[in-house]
PDB file of all heavy atoms in Angstrom:
ATOM      1  N   LYS A1765      32.108  -9.242  -0.464  1.00 96.00           N
ATOM      2  CA  LYS A1765      31.615  -9.891  -1.682  1.00 96.00           C
ATOM      3  C   LYS A1765      31.313 -11.377  -1.448  1.00 96.00           C
ATOM      4  O   LYS A1765      30.254 -11.882  -1.849  1.00 96.00           O
ATOM      5  CB  LYS A1765      32.681  -9.733  -2.775  1.00 96.00           C
ATOM      6  CG  LYS A1765      32.375 -10.430  -4.072  1.00 96.00           C
ATOM      7  CD  LYS A1765      33.486 -10.187  -5.073  1.00 96.00           C
ATOM      8  CE  LYS A1765      33.226 -10.966  -6.344  1.00 96.00           C
ATOM      9  NZ  LYS A1765      34.194 -10.695  -7.380  1.00 96.00           N
ATOM     10  N   GLU A1766      32.221 -12.050  -0.770  1.00 95.00           N
ATOM     11  CA  GLU A1766      32.083 -13.500  -0.606  1.00 95.00           C
ATOM     12  C   GLU A1766      30.816 -13.867   0.160  1.00 95.00           C
ATOM     13  O   GLU A1766      30.021 -14.709  -0.266  1.00 95.00           O
ATOM     14  CB  GLU A1766      33.311 -14.013   0.145  1.00 95.00           C
ATOM     15  CG  GLU A1766      33.704 -15.416  -0.238  1.00 95.00           C
ATOM     16  CD  GLU A1766      35.046 -15.756   0.379  1.00 95.00           C
ATOM     17  OE1 GLU A1766      36.055 -15.140   0.000  1.00 95.00           O
ATOM     18  OE2 GLU A1766      35.035 -16.609   1.263  1.00 95.00           O
ATOM     19  N   SER A1767      30.608 -13.202   1.301  1.00 94.00           N
ATOM     20  CA  SER A1767      29.426 -13.522   2.121  1.00 94.00           C
ATOM     21  C   SER A1767      28.142 -13.139   1.388  1.00 94.00           C
ATOM     22  O   SER A1767      27.141 -13.849   1.457  1.00 94.00           O
ATOM     23  CB  SER A1767      29.459 -12.771   3.449  1.00 94.00           C
ATOM     24  OG  SER A1767      30.595 -13.119   4.143  1.00 94.00           O
ATOM     25  N   LEU A1768      28.176 -11.992   0.706  1.00 96.00           N
ATOM     26  CA  LEU A1768      26.962 -11.545   0.011  1.00 96.00           C
ATOM     27  C   LEU A1768      26.580 -12.553  -1.080  1.00 96.00           C
ATOM     28  O   LEU A1768      25.417 -12.978  -1.171  1.00 96.00           O
ATOM     29  CB  LEU A1768      27.181 -10.152  -0.591  1.00 96.00           C
ATOM     30  CG  LEU A1768      25.981  -9.537  -1.309  1.00 96.00           C
ATOM     31  CD1 LEU A1768      24.814  -9.319  -0.335  1.00 96.00           C
ATOM     32  CD2 LEU A1768      26.342  -8.211  -1.968  1.00 96.00           C
ATOM     33  N   LEU A1769      27.560 -12.958  -1.881  1.00 96.00           N
ATOM     34  CA  LEU A1769      27.247 -13.891  -2.967  1.00 96.00           C
ATOM     35  C   LEU A1769      26.870 -15.269  -2.421  1.00 96.00           C
ATOM     36  O   LEU A1769      26.026 -15.971  -2.996  1.00 96.00           O
ATOM     37  CB  LEU A1769      28.413 -13.987  -3.949  1.00 96.00           C
ATOM     38  CG  LEU A1769      28.703 -12.702  -4.748  1.00 96.00           C
ATOM     39  CD1 LEU A1769      29.813 -12.930  -5.760  1.00 96.00           C
ATOM     40  CD2 LEU A1769      27.455 -12.166  -5.456  1.00 96.00           C
ATOM     41  N   ALA A1770      27.446 -15.647  -1.273  1.00 95.00           N
ATOM     42  CA  ALA A1770      27.089 -16.948  -0.683  1.00 95.00           C
ATOM     43  C   ALA A1770      25.619 -16.946  -0.259  1.00 95.00           C
ATOM     44  O   ALA A1770      24.935 -17.973  -0.316  1.00 95.00           O
ATOM     45  CB  ALA A1770      27.988 -17.237   0.515  1.00 95.00           C
ATOM     46  N   SER A1771      25.125 -15.782   0.175  1.00 95.00           N
ATOM     47  CA  SER A1771      23.724 -15.699   0.622  1.00 95.00           C
ATOM     48  C   SER A1771      22.762 -15.415  -0.529  1.00 95.00           C
ATOM     49  O   SER A1771      21.550 -15.451  -0.341  1.00 95.00           O
ATOM     50  CB  SER A1771      23.574 -14.578   1.653  1.00 95.00           C
ATOM     51  OG  SER A1771      24.450 -14.768   2.718  1.00 95.00           O
ATOM     52  N   ALA A1772      23.295 -15.084  -1.711  1.00 97.00           N
ATOM     53  CA  ALA A1772      22.437 -14.721  -2.845  1.00 97.00           C
ATOM     54  C   ALA A1772      21.975 -15.955  -3.605  1.00 97.00           C
ATOM     55  O   ALA A1772      22.407 -17.072  -3.336  1.00 97.00           O
ATOM     56  CB  ALA A1772      23.209 -13.781  -3.769  1.00 97.00           C
ATOM     57  N   GLY A1773      21.065 -15.726  -4.570  1.00 97.00           N
ATOM     58  CA  GLY A1773      20.571 -16.835  -5.400  1.00 97.00           C
ATOM     59  C   GLY A1773      19.449 -17.588  -4.714  1.00 97.00           C
ATOM     60  O   GLY A1773      19.259 -17.474  -3.497  1.00 97.00           O
ATOM     61  N   PRO A1774      18.700 -18.378  -5.473  1.00 95.00           N
ATOM     62  CA  PRO A1774      17.539 -19.085  -4.920  1.00 95.00           C
ATOM     63  C   PRO A1774      17.894 -19.985  -3.742  1.00 95.00           C
ATOM     64  O   PRO A1774      17.092 -20.173  -2.844  1.00 95.00           O
ATOM     65  CB  PRO A1774      17.041 -19.924  -6.096  1.00 95.00           C
ATOM     66  CG  PRO A1774      17.575 -19.263  -7.309  1.00 95.00           C
ATOM     67  CD  PRO A1774      18.856 -18.602  -6.913  1.00 95.00           C
ATOM     68  N   ASN A1775      19.100 -20.525  -3.736  1.00 87.00           N
ATOM     69  CA  ASN A1775      19.476 -21.407  -2.621  1.00 87.00           C
ATOM     70  C   ASN A1775      20.434 -20.739  -1.652  1.00 87.00           C
ATOM     71  O   ASN A1775      21.091 -21.405  -0.867  1.00 87.00           O
ATOM     72  CB  ASN A1775      20.125 -22.684  -3.167  1.00 87.00           C
ATOM     73  CG  ASN A1775      19.178 -23.391  -4.118  1.00 87.00           C
ATOM     74  OD1 ASN A1775      17.995 -23.526  -3.815  1.00 87.00           O
ATOM     75  ND2 ASN A1775      19.684 -23.793  -5.278  1.00 87.00           N
ATOM     76  N   GLY A1776      20.504 -19.413  -1.723  1.00 87.00           N
ATOM     77  CA  GLY A1776      21.432 -18.681  -0.854  1.00 87.00           C
ATOM     78  C   GLY A1776      21.161 -18.962   0.606  1.00 87.00           C
ATOM     79  O   GLY A1776      20.012 -18.964   1.038  1.00 87.00           O
TER      80      GLY A1776
END
Side-chain angles (χ1 to χ4, degrees):
K1765 176 179 176 175
E1766 211 171 294
S1767 300
L1768 182 63
L1769 293 184
S1771 304
N1775 302 315

